[in-house]
Amino acid sequence: MQGQIIKIISNDYFVLYNNKEYVCKARGKLRNESITPQVGDYVLFDADNKYILNVLPRKNNLLRPSVANIDQAFIITSLKKPDFSTNLLDKLLVICHINNIEPVICLTKKDLLTKSEFKEIKKIIKYYKHVGYKVIYNTELFKIKKLFKNKTTVFTGQTGAGKSSLMNKLDKSLNFETNEISDALGRGKHTTRYVTLVQLFNGKVLDTPGFSAIDLSSYSDKQIRDSFIEFDNYSCPYKDCMHINEKECVIKNNKNILKSRYDNYKKFIEKR
């Protein structure tokens, strides 16, 4: 039988088939082949003996959070408490691009900003929209619900940015646990205990544990460079230019490129 893993707790894999859940174990041969089943995986399983026999080929997969077969990612991004982080946002956009996942930047906590703070952040938001990213506020529930249709969506972003709160607003029956932000640390606790796949608004949503650090070390310099999609709008005189050291490069001193975006790009390359 073919089903989909919708939740993993310890060594138990919850497989959904024909609207029924089967709690399965993974066959030893998967471990021998270094195959680790993930939430979102389509699998062949033995319903009688409750064993996963094989993991079917994936469209894509992530390790942090550990999920597979994703169409789009809602990058839940706080504007304050915790503070707006272009560094984390750009890292997540890089990961989405490399893994062929459509990103949706979902902004939260706009109400905590002063008028002057919002004025400055609004310029940055306008830039992301201009280069082609979808940007939405967490208060625009009707728009968010429409984006779920026929897609498998992952929720990710800053710890304490409001992922679980948004899920609860979208569907109160989900009842995901939320916590207050620590004033001392400026971040929230990890409230989602495990990854789970839920049916929502004619689509599927993967709610994932919050995190604040992403490792880009497994990606090549060229993969990271090509993930900054606005670079393609300019014709650099150097073939295969990395846009860092070359004197006549049209990217590194380009005033049309948001400074924080270029600075983050340099950091991602130079810290590897």
Side-chain angles (χ1 to χ4, degrees):
M1 294 166 63
Q2 179 178 322
Q4 186 176 27
I5 297 175
I6 61 170
K7 183 168 57 179
I8 300 172
I9 300 178
S10 188
N11 293 319
D12 290 329
Y13 298 86
F14 293 71
V15 179
L16 185 68
Y17 170 75
N18 206 17
N19 293 320
K20 182 179 177 181
E21 285 186 25
Y22 297 81
V23 183
C24 300
K25 301 289 186 183
R27 288 292 297 270
K29 76 164 193 171
L30 294 180
R31 290 193 298 274
N32 294 337
E33 295 172 2
S34 298
I35 298 173
T36 302
Q38 295 176 290
V39 173
D41 271 331
Y42 291 97
V43 298
L44 298 179
F45 73 105
D46 181 336
D48 295 325
N49 297 304
K50 307 294 190 301
Y51 274 111
I52 292 175
L53 305 174
N54 204 1
V55 175
L56 299 179
R58 295 163 173 158
K59 172 183 177 179
N60 51 39
N61 72 296
L62 300 177
L63 297 179
R64 296 180 64 190
S66 180
V67 291
N69 298 314
I70 307 144
D71 297 311
Q72 71 179 354
F74 269 69
I75 302 175
I76 311 302
T77 305
S78 173
L79 296 176
K80 195 168 186 177
K81 289 191 175 183
D83 290 338
F84 182 49
S85 170
T86 60
N87 185 278
L88 177 57
L89 174 59
D90 287 338
K91 279 184 181 178
L92 291 167
L93 290 172
V94 165
I95 290 172
C96 285
H97 184 91
I98 292 172
N99 290 281
N100 194 29
I101 298 168
E102 182 179 5
V104 179
I105 301 170
C106 183
L107 303 171
T108 68
K109 306 188 182 182
K110 175 186 171 184
D111 57 307
L112 299 182
L113 295 174
T114 65
K115 286 185 178 180
S116 61
E117 287 172 335
F118 181 62
K119 186 178 180 180
E120 290 303 309
I121 285 179
K122 197 173 181 180
K123 296 175 185 175
I124 300 173
I125 294 167
K126 184 178 179 180
Y127 178 86
Y128 282 95
K129 288 182 178 179
H130 176 72
V131 298
Y133 290 114
K134 288 182 182 177
V135 182
I136 197 167
Y137 289 95
N138 66 324
T139 53
E140 299 177 281
L141 298 181
F142 180 73
K143 289 183 180 180
I144 292 172
K145 291 174 183 179
K146 287 179 67 176
L147 290 172
F148 289 143
K149 188 175 181 180
N150 298 326
K151 292 184 178 180
T152 296
T153 301
V154 63
F155 269 49
T156 189
Q158 293 160 295
T159 302
K163 293 184 296 295
S164 296
S165 295
L166 177 56
M167 293 286 281
N168 290 338
K169 286 179 182 177
L170 290 167
D171 188 337
K172 293 179 181 178
S173 67
L174 295 174
N175 197 30
F176 284 108
E177 181 184 354
T178 61
N179 277 337
E180 295 294 324
I181 300 298
S182 164
D183 287 332
L185 297 176
R187 57 185 176 154
K189 296 180 181 179
H190 295 253
T191 55
T192 308
R193 303 306 180 202
Y194 46 79
V195 179
T196 183
L197 180 71
V198 296
Q199 302 287 328
L200 205 62
F201 307 114
N202 299 310
K204 302 171 185 176
V205 178
L206 286 152
D207 183 54
T208 64
F211 54 87
S212 58
I214 307 291
D215 183 10
L216 299 180
S217 62
S218 62
Y219 303 125
S220 71
D221 289 352
K222 289 183 179 181
Q223 283 180 307
I224 294 172
R225 177 199 63 192
D226 294 344
S227 299
F228 283 77
I229 56 177
E230 62 267 50
F231 292 178
D232 290 339
N233 296 330
Y234 307 96
S235 181
C236 189
Y238 296 102
K239 185 179 179 181
D240 239 4
C241 183
M242 289 306 298
H243 313 311
I244 293 178
N245 299 315
E246 297 81 351
K247 187 177 179 181
E248 301 298 327
C249 175
V250 300
I251 300 296
K252 68 178 186 177
N253 295 314
N254 195 317
K255 293 182 179 179
N256 292 318
I257 295 173
L258 186 68
K259 186 178 184 301
S260 62
R261 283 277 286 174
Y262 180 71
D263 289 346
N264 286 334
Y265 166 69
K266 283 184 64 179
K267 288 175 185 175
F268 298 163
I269 296 295
E270 292 170 353
K271 287 185 176 180
R272 293 161 53 68

